[in-house]
Amino acid sequence: MNEKLWTAVDEYITEMLLPADAALEAALEASNAAGLPPIAVTPAQGKFLQLLARLQGARRVLEIGTLGGYSTIWLARALPADGKLVTLEVNPQFARIARENILRAGLDAIVDLRLGSALETLPQLGAEGHGAFDFIFIDADKQNIPKYFEFACQLSRTGSLIIVDNVVRDGRVIDAKSHDPDIQGIRRFNQLLSLKQGICATAIQTVGAKGYDGFAIVLMTG
Ligand code: SAH
Ligand code: DHB
Ligand code: MG
């Protein structure tokens, strides 16, 4: 079992189950051309997120970490015409590419991209008092996952779903002695989850074109 096989199977799944999509492909091409890091979710993962948002009947989605807007497009397409997706990005160059990609996908009326560190834009969002998000995707810097999760809890309601990307990191998550701030962030988040009341949570390991990683899935049960 190796990364080459995981990638080949990912390509097979994509070919079989994910029809070619001009806006998504253009978003990846523009992101690559602009030199953005190739760390967006894979097509199959994007569709998985979209499926979860649809199952959730989500009308309001929050995304922390936009990059070029690839996962944003998948998620925004899960929403009804009057739905809203707020996505937070700290890097102005990434945000500019994302805005172009979102516009090209015809989703600019649904997507509200906020430029700035999520640690600053999240408290602002709370203060605006728009009501809870039904679905929250945490996918920014990993050392701040515990903080993002606390904000996500505040911005959600009973029944909201919170998904956290990159919680396995090639299995390095189990290295308690790791000095990598990303790993420490993920481990502190798991600690937080293990102590938290009013949630139902698990984590799923994934392999594929992006290697070996995983998602945490948290339902707010009240
Ligand atoms: N969700 C995207 C990938 C996001 S990659 C997709 O799957 O298509 C992580 C992103 O988080 C990067 O664009 C990075 O610039 C952004 N980021 C890192 N630190 C951040 C912060 N403090 N606030 C907001 N965004 C941040
Ligand atoms: C990285 C970030 C991500 O969000 C991801 O999905 C993969 C890798 C990174 O910063 O290395
Ligand atoms: Mg990620």
Tab-separated table of all heavy atoms in Angstrom, residues 39 139-140 142 165-166 169 182 210 213, ligand 2:
chain	number	residue	atom	x	y	z
A	39	ILE	N	-2.620	22.542	-1.772
A	39	ILE	CA	-3.107	21.905	-0.538
A	39	ILE	C	-4.617	21.973	-0.402
A	39	ILE	O	-5.158	21.740	0.678
A	39	ILE	CB	-2.420	22.501	0.720
A	39	ILE	CG1	-2.598	24.020	0.776
A	39	ILE	CG2	-0.936	22.135	0.742
A	39	ILE	CD1	-2.058	24.646	2.067
A	139	ASP	N	-10.121	24.816	8.266
A	139	ASP	CA	-9.034	24.364	7.381
A	139	ASP	C	-7.991	25.472	7.186
A	139	ASP	O	-7.531	25.712	6.086
A	139	ASP	CB	-9.632	23.932	6.025
A	139	ASP	CG	-8.620	23.194	5.164
A	139	ASP	OD1	-7.625	22.676	5.701
A	139	ASP	OD2	-8.829	23.137	3.933
A	140	ALA	N	-7.608	26.133	8.264
A	140	ALA	CA	-6.571	27.177	8.171
A	140	ALA	C	-5.292	26.650	8.826
A	140	ALA	O	-4.961	25.471	8.659
A	140	ALA	CB	-7.073	28.466	8.816
A	142	LYS	N	-2.888	25.028	11.442
A	142	LYS	CA	-3.265	23.935	12.339
A	142	LYS	C	-2.982	24.242	13.824
A	142	LYS	O	-3.644	23.693	14.706
A	142	LYS	CB	-2.568	22.639	11.918
A	142	LYS	CG	-2.684	22.324	10.415
A	142	LYS	CD	-4.107	22.381	9.887
A	142	LYS	CE	-4.152	22.449	8.368
A	142	LYS	NZ	-5.480	22.875	7.858
A	165	ASP	N	-10.208	19.773	9.044
A	165	ASP	CA	-9.336	19.068	8.105
A	165	ASP	C	-7.957	18.846	8.730
A	165	ASP	O	-7.547	19.558	9.646
A	165	ASP	CB	-9.196	19.894	6.813
A	165	ASP	CG	-8.609	19.087	5.653
A	165	ASP	OD1	-8.637	17.842	5.704
A	165	ASP	OD2	-8.119	19.707	4.679
A	166	ASN	N	-7.267	17.840	8.211
A	166	ASN	CA	-5.830	17.627	8.488
A	166	ASN	C	-5.534	17.263	9.937
A	166	ASN	O	-4.577	17.776	10.521
A	166	ASN	CB	-5.022	18.883	8.091
A	166	ASN	CG	-5.366	19.369	6.700
A	166	ASN	OD1	-5.858	20.479	6.533
A	166	ASN	ND2	-5.158	18.536	5.702
A	169	ARG	N	-2.260	13.942	9.656
A	169	ARG	CA	-0.928	14.359	9.242
A	169	ARG	C	0.080	13.194	9.170
A	169	ARG	O	1.041	13.158	9.931
A	169	ARG	CB	-0.403	15.469	10.162
A	169	ARG	CG	-1.359	16.651	10.370
A	169	ARG	CD	-1.052	17.844	9.535
A	169	ARG	NE	-1.269	17.574	8.130
A	169	ARG	CZ	-0.934	18.408	7.150
A	169	ARG	NH1	-0.343	19.524	7.410
A	169	ARG	NH2	-1.186	18.107	5.917
A	182	ASP	N	1.905	22.442	14.544
A	182	ASP	CA	0.689	21.917	13.909
A	182	ASP	C	0.192	20.690	14.669
A	182	ASP	O	-0.992	20.562	14.992
A	182	ASP	CB	0.959	21.508	12.454
A	182	ASP	CG	1.177	22.709	11.543
A	182	ASP	OD1	1.210	23.846	12.047
A	182	ASP	OD2	1.323	22.493	10.326
A	210	LYS	N	-3.790	13.315	-1.853
A	210	LYS	CA	-3.103	14.225	-0.934
A	210	LYS	C	-2.374	13.471	0.173
A	210	LYS	O	-1.996	14.073	1.181
A	210	LYS	CB	-4.096	15.191	-0.305
A	210	LYS	CG	-4.233	16.487	-1.084
A	210	LYS	CD	-5.137	17.463	-0.373
A	210	LYS	CE	-4.432	18.197	0.745
A	210	LYS	NZ	-5.354	19.093	1.457
A	213	ASP	N	-4.093	11.523	5.719
A	213	ASP	CA	-4.496	12.563	6.668
A	213	ASP	C	-5.855	12.193	7.246
A	213	ASP	O	-6.162	10.993	7.329
A	213	ASP	CB	-4.511	13.934	5.950
A	213	ASP	CG	-4.053	15.071	6.864
A	213	ASP	OD1	-4.429	15.049	8.049
A	213	ASP	OD2	-3.342	15.968	6.396
B	2	DHB	C1	-1.506	21.908	4.663
B	2	DHB	C2	-2.672	22.593	4.937
B	2	DHB	C3	-3.884	22.039	4.592
B	2	DHB	O1	-5.062	22.659	4.855
B	2	DHB	C4	-3.949	20.824	3.977
B	2	DHB	O2	-5.144	20.306	3.658
B	2	DHB	C5	-2.779	20.150	3.697
B	2	DHB	C6	-1.569	20.696	4.038
B	2	DHB	C7	-0.201	22.480	5.025
B	2	DHB	O3	-0.171	23.619	5.498
B	2	DHB	O4	0.794	21.786	4.843
